[in-house]
Amino acid sequence: MSLQPIGIFDSGVGGTSIWKEIHKLLPHEETIYLADSKNAPYGEKSAEEILRLSIKNTEFLLNRGCKIIVVACNTATTNAIAYLRETYDVPFIGIEPAIKPAALNSKSKTIGVLATKGTLTSALFNTTSKNYSEGITLLDQDGEGLVPLIEAGKVDSIEVKALLMKYLTPMIEKGIDYLVLGCTHYPYLIPVIQDIVSDKVTIIDSGEAVAKQTKSILEKFNLSANNQRPKHKFYSNKSSEELKHFLMDYEVSVDFLNF
Ligand code: DGL
């Protein structure tokens, strides 16, 4: 048993899609969420810079007593999780584009991956995609420009639709039947994406899998909690208002913090 909080970080608001899955599966766990929105998008930064920011975020959460860290960001996971696991003493849960289920289930043998440049160019992504894409055509696309629009709350905007049309049309023309969302910001675009790709394409995101993995690791290390009134603290270093926008249905505290 450990009543200490679960620490979660992302480059911004996107990881709230993961927080929601964790909260649904583990309602008695306290959480601290860190949105490094001031430095978003991570996807356009160098591997060194993504690592430096991931270390800073991890130490912020560890200094507040977190018992486990969920890296709710594909870009940070694929560039930094190996180092974080080697360096710090707590368990780390990461998120990577879920190529495996898409490749296993695809009938057209053609799948799409929409992720950030930082994820698509990482060594970890390249290894995973090689391991699971034998006999599969894997079309990857950098979603440049989407994260800043989501950060600004423009989820349903004309700009988002135009970018998605540009990125997804070539994949549809090449016959994908699965689309893997490789960025935790993108689940907020699912209604728009589904409209563009039609119901012939199955969209896969890994939020639920991350929550299940978090539960199983907490159990394995005897770290689960049964807080009766768990608190949930959210911090943004850019705008608490923008972060709040994604948490409207939840009883949580959201604050600006200059870190
Ligand atoms: N939400 C992040 C991800 O899963 C990062 C997006 C970004 O900051 O570029 O990759």
Side-chain angles (χ1 to χ4, degrees):
M1 275 283 272
S2 163
L3 299 176
Q4 296 297 99
I6 296 174
I8 303 171
F9 78 81
D10 179 35
S11 63
V13 300
T16 56
S17 65
I18 305 296
W19 178 86
K20 288 173 189 173
E21 295 291 345
I22 291 174
H23 179 56
K24 190 156 75 181
L25 192 65
L26 299 165
H28 298 299
E29 294 286 350
E30 295 218 344
T31 59
I32 303 182
Y33 181 99
L34 182 61
D36 188 17
S37 292
K38 188 171 76 182
N39 292 303
Y42 280 14
E44 301 297 308
K45 296 191 182 327
S46 68
E48 292 73 31
E49 184 64 358
I50 297 165
L51 177 61
R52 189 184 70 77
L53 294 167
S54 301
I55 291 170
K56 189 170 149 230
N57 298 337
T58 297
E59 293 189 351
F60 176 98
L61 294 168
L62 291 178
N63 287 337
R64 280 157 184 81
C66 293
K67 60 186 173 186
I68 186 170
I69 307 291
V70 179
V71 183
C73 173
N74 292 259
T75 313
T77 299
T78 50
N79 286 278
I81 203 158
Y83 178 89
L84 299 176
R85 284 190 172 129
E86 262 166 40
T87 310
Y88 302 99
D89 238 8
V90 295
F92 283 84
I93 308 293
I95 179 162
E96 282 181 71
I99 295 168
K100 188 179 170 186
L104 287 176
N105 292 307
S106 172
K107 295 206 168 54
S108 67
K109 301 285 171 219
T110 308
I111 66 171
V113 179
L114 188 64
T116 69
K117 184 159 76 192
T119 294
L120 296 176
T121 56
S122 69
L124 190 57
F125 175 79
N126 282 296
T127 313
T128 316
S129 54
K130 272 199 202 91
N131 285 348
Y132 295 114
S133 61
E134 216 192 295
I136 295 280
T137 305
L138 190 152
L139 305 169
D140 58 44
Q141 172 64 53
D142 167 6
E144 191 181 355
L146 291 172
V147 166
L149 289 166
I150 300 164
E151 283 288 314
K154 295 182 176 172
V155 166
D156 228 355
S157 62
I158 293 170
E159 295 105 298
V160 160
K161 278 181 199 151
L163 280 177
L164 286 171
M165 283 295 284
K166 181 168 120 191
Y167 297 151
L168 300 174
T169 306
M171 294 188 186
I172 301 166
E173 285 171 358
K174 292 191 179 102
I176 61 160
D177 59 354
Y178 276 82
L179 175 67
V180 179
L181 301 186
C183 171
T184 56
H185 283 70
Y186 300 166
Y188 288 112
L189 304 180
I190 286 176
V192 187
I193 293 175
Q194 196 75 70
D195 226 37
I196 294 172
V197 298
S198 86
D199 57 6
K200 288 189 199 119
V201 176
T202 306
I203 299 170
I204 299 202
D205 88 271
S206 332
E208 201 185 328
V210 170
K212 285 186 180 154
Q213 177 69 357
T214 306
K215 182 169 188 272
S216 111
I217 295 295
L218 287 177
E219 285 167 1
K220 181 174 166 199
F221 289 98
N222 238 334
L223 290 171
S224 305
N226 195 9
N227 289 298
Q228 286 316 298
R229 296 190 62 99
K231 290 192 195 71
H232 302 290
K233 293 187 183 143
F234 285 74
Y235 298 106
S236 167
N237 55 8
K238 191 168 176 209
S239 158
S240 56
E241 286 313 307
E242 273 162 19
L243 185 53
K244 260 185 208 156
H245 180 79
F246 289 86
L247 296 160
M248 276 189 303
D249 302 330
Y250 297 88
E251 234 180 82
V252 298
S253 75
V254 187
D255 290 300
F256 169 79
L257 198 71
N258 197 6
F259 62 87

